[in-house]
Amino acid sequence: DAKTTQPPSMDCAEGRAANLPCNHSTISGNEYVYWYRQIHSQGPQYIIHGLKNNETNEMASLIITEDRKSSTLILPHATLRDTAVYYCIVRVEGGADGLTFGKGTHLIIQP
Amino acid sequence: KAGVTQTPRYLIKTRGQQVTLSCSPISGHRSVSWYQQTPGQGLQFLFEYFSETQRNKGNFPGRFSGRQFSNSRSEMNVSTLELGDSALYLCASSLDGGGYWETQYFGPGTRLLVL
């Protein structure tokens, strides 16, 4: 069963902010929200993760709603290199099972 | 700090053969996980190793196996290759200092083609 729902594709103009939504309405209290991206034929790249507070790092910002049922990944100034498939994953802390990847969102940055 | 490295990057085999793929985790990382990515099934978890022991396993047949060495390097083996085993095989490492799952960092993958 998919734990997250993401739009299959999105477009964004170069230089603008890219806002990628993710629904995780069945998230548990101890589950984190993780974002990875995969540029064509490369290994997935970790972007950011959070539990309930908004998070920011050098790559992106993660906004999690108060009820934690959805989140948005924000790439503040998208470049052509940000064209990739973006995966939103919910993951409990602890345990040793692997990441469960859905189909993700194919973000296309337009020049 | 060097990232996760995988060798070889590309491999061509024929049906019935076996193959061994290698993964060197980030220095200091003790957990290594393997994933298979195909266009039809997406990214799927194969297994995870920590301290030379397999801790968890995905839903793959016994033809898929792995091991981890004392320096945390890991290998995975696929025996009796089938056409459907053609895929990108990804290795990911994490620190796993406290026994909790931590952020995984992926290597570039090994692309296997079975003819």
Side-chain angles (χ1 to χ4, degrees):
Chain A
D1 290 338
K3 284 189 161 186
T4 63
T5 304
Q6 299 177 254
S9 65
M10 292 181 63
D11 286 350
C12 178
E14 189 178 17
R16 305 296 295 266
N19 297 286
L20 292 91
C22 179
N23 286 324
H24 31 78
S25 58
T26 60
I27 192 170
S28 301
N30 61 348
E31 286 184 315
Y32 288 72
V33 179
Y34 278 80
W35 284 84
Y36 281 79
R37 73 180 182 184
Q38 188 173 25
I39 297 169
H40 182 61
S41 295
Q42 298 181 21
Q45 177 189 23
Y46 165 77
I47 302 173
I48 198 167
H49 74 283
L51 184 62
K52 53 186 176 181
N53 297 322
N54 297 338
E55 302 287 343
T56 296
N57 62 20
E58 65 278 3
M59 288 184 68
S61 295
L62 174 61
I63 308 297
I64 303 174
T65 58
E66 193 168 342
D67 63 8
R68 302 207 326 121
K69 293 186 177 183
S70 66
S71 60
T72 300
L73 177 74
I74 301 172
L75 307 178
H77 305 288
T79 70
L80 298 179
R81 292 186 191 182
D82 292 322
T83 292
V85 178
Y86 287 77
Y87 297 98
C88 168
I89 300 163
V90 295
R91 185 67 174 76
V92 68
E93 185 181 51
D97 52 321
L99 291 166
T100 300
F101 287 81
K103 297 197 180 297
T105 295
H106 187 195
L107 174 67
I108 299 172
I109 305 301
Q110 304 282 3
Chain B
K1 186 182 278 191
V4 178
T5 57
Q6 293 186 245
T7 57
R9 293 294 312 279
Y10 303 92
L11 206 49
I12 299 175
K13 292 285 187 179
T14 56
R15 278 182 299 174
Q17 287 187 310
Q18 76 165 16
V19 66
T20 299
L21 311 181
S22 180
C23 171
S24 293
I26 292 171
S27 177
H29 283 197
R30 299 166 64 192
S31 168
V32 173
S33 297
W34 288 90
Y35 294 81
Q36 181 197 63
Q37 186 173 29
T38 61
Q41 299 297 321
L43 265 157
Q44 294 184 288
F45 171 70
L46 279 156
F47 32 64
E48 187 257 359
Y49 284 87
F50 176 77
S51 289
E52 303 177 62
T53 301
Q54 185 182 90
R55 278 198 305 194
N56 214 324
K57 190 176 187 301
N59 190 25
F60 278 81
R63 300 186 297 107
F64 292 82
S65 63
R67 60 177 176 168
Q68 186 180 35
F69 302 95
S70 58
N71 61 358
S72 295
R73 190 177 69 85
S74 177
E75 289 180 348
M76 69 161 282
N77 183 276
V78 187
S79 62
T80 318
L81 284 166
E82 301 176 0
L83 295 180
D85 297 332
S86 294
L88 180 66
Y89 290 89
L90 292 155
C91 166
S93 75
S94 64
L95 193 61
D96 207 334
Y100 289 96
W101 189 89
E102 295 174 334
T103 301
Q104 294 187 351
Y105 297 89
F106 285 79
T110 293
R111 187 165 295 280
L112 172 66
L113 176 61
V114 182
L115 301 175

